[in-house]
Amino acid sequence: MTASGNSAPRSSAESVDLAAQVGRVAAPLRQQVLDVLRQAILSFHYAPGQRLVERELIEEIGVSRTTIREALRELAAEGLVKTIPQKGAVVVVPSLQEALELYELRAALEALAVRRFTEVASDDQVAELRAALEQLADVVNGDGDTLRILKAKDHFYDVLLRGCGNRSVHSTLGGVQARLSLLRATSLAQPGRTARSAQELRAMVEAIEARNPDAAVRASNHHIEQAKRAGLEGLSATSGLPFSNASL
C-alpha cells in the first residue's frame, strides 16, 4: 500500500515480517497484534494517510478479522488511526491546526507538572528522575532505535508525572502524549534530534535538582518547542503535507 491509499507490493528491502513478531512474548494475542501494528505505524512501515485494509492485515499478520478489528479500534482510541466512511481505517495525518493545539496543550500541562515536581518531589523521586534520564541517554547513545527511545522517554515522563502530585495532570498529559505519538516519532527520526532531545531534558533535570522551578519550566518549554518544530517538519517530509516554519 502507498500513502495515497492504493495497494502496491513492497520490495524485499521494504518488507517487514509482522507475522513473525507475533508470538514472541507471553502476552494475549490481541495485545501482541496491537503492539505490532502500533510499532509498524510509528516506524512508518505504514505511512501517514495510508489505508489499513483488513484483508491485507489478516494476510500479513496471520490472525483473525476479529483480532485485527479490535486492534484497529484501540489504535483509533489512541489517535493513531481513524475510520473514514467508505474507505475504512487510515493512519492518521494530523492537520497543522490539530498538531499546534496538541503541542500548546502539552506545553501548558507539562509546565504545571514540572513546576509541581520541582516544588514537591522528594529527594528520592528526583534521584529516580535522574536515573530515568541516564537510562534515556544510554538508549540514545546505543542503537538509536526510535521506538526504544520513545519507551525510555515515556518512562522518564511517568516518573515526572507520578512525582508531581497531581493525578489529573498525570492522566490528562498521558492522553495528550498518546495523541502526539506519531509526531513524537517523526520528531525523533530527524537527524541529530534524539541527542538534542536528551540534552534538553538534562537541562530540565538539572534545574529540578537545583529546586529552581522557573528554570525547569523554561527548559521544559524549550524542549517542547524544539520537539514541535522537528515533529512538524518530519511529518511534512513523510506525508507531503505543507508544514513550514512560517506556520509555527
Side-chain angles (χ1 to χ4, degrees):
M1 289 181 285
T2 66
S4 63
N6 297 322
S7 296
R10 295 186 181 87
S11 69
S12 59
E14 295 173 321
S15 178
V16 175
D17 189 353
L18 300 185
Q21 298 179 36
V22 175
R24 289 182 178 176
V25 295
L29 180 62
R30 174 181 169 279
Q31 184 62 48
Q32 291 186 58
V33 173
L34 174 60
D35 290 343
V36 165
L37 287 176
R38 184 190 295 114
Q39 177 172 329
I41 291 170
L42 294 179
S43 63
F44 308 109
H45 176 72
Y46 301 127
Q50 181 172 329
R51 287 182 62 207
L52 300 177
V53 181
E54 286 185 4
R55 172 179 50 79
E56 295 178 356
L57 294 177
I58 291 167
E59 294 174 356
E60 189 170 13
I61 302 177
V63 295
S64 70
R65 184 178 301 274
T66 298
T67 302
I68 291 295
R69 286 181 174 176
E70 289 176 348
L72 290 176
R73 279 196 294 270
E74 183 64 29
L75 291 170
E78 294 179 10
L80 288 175
V81 166
K82 65 180 176 181
T83 301
I84 300 176
Q86 311 304 319
K87 193 171 184 180
V90 177
V91 178
V92 164
V93 182
S95 70
L96 175 60
Q97 186 61 35
E98 289 169 338
L100 292 175
E101 288 174 359
L102 285 171
Y103 276 116
E104 183 179 24
L105 182 57
R106 177 189 169 189
L109 290 170
E110 195 166 312
L112 175 58
V114 167
R115 183 174 295 278
R116 287 277 300 164
F117 187 96
T118 306
E119 293 172 343
V120 307
S122 68
D123 289 344
D124 285 345
Q125 287 171 320
V126 173
E128 185 181 4
L129 188 68
R130 164 63 73 170
L133 171 67
E134 299 306 336
Q135 179 182 344
L136 170 62
D138 287 343
V139 174
V140 168
N141 293 329
D143 59 16
D145 179 77
T146 298
L147 293 173
R148 289 187 64 219
I149 293 170
L150 279 173
K151 288 181 180 179
K153 287 195 74 174
D154 285 343
H155 173 61
F156 175 89
Y157 277 104
D158 183 61
V159 173
L160 176 72
L161 293 172
R162 280 191 286 106
C164 81
N166 188 317
R167 285 180 293 181
S168 294
V169 169
H170 190 172
S171 61
T172 305
L173 185 54
V176 172
Q177 292 278 42
R179 292 175 65 190
L180 280 168
S181 292
L182 183 60
L183 285 164
R184 293 173 70 206
T186 60
S187 171
L188 292 174
Q190 299 306 295
R193 177 60 200 153
T194 55
R196 292 193 300 273
S197 177
Q199 286 302 313
E200 290 156 12
L201 292 177
R202 187 174 298 278
M204 187 175 79
V205 170
E206 289 172 353
I208 289 172
E209 290 173 331
R211 300 293 183 173
N212 186 333
D214 290 339
V217 168
R218 285 195 299 272
S220 172
N221 288 338
H222 175 69
H223 171 63
I224 295 171
E225 184 64 28
Q226 297 306 305
K228 175 179 71 175
R229 187 175 302 276
L232 295 182
E233 289 176 351
L235 192 60
S236 176
T238 302
S239 67
L241 291 182
F243 294 145
S244 68
N245 288 337
S247 303
L248 305 179

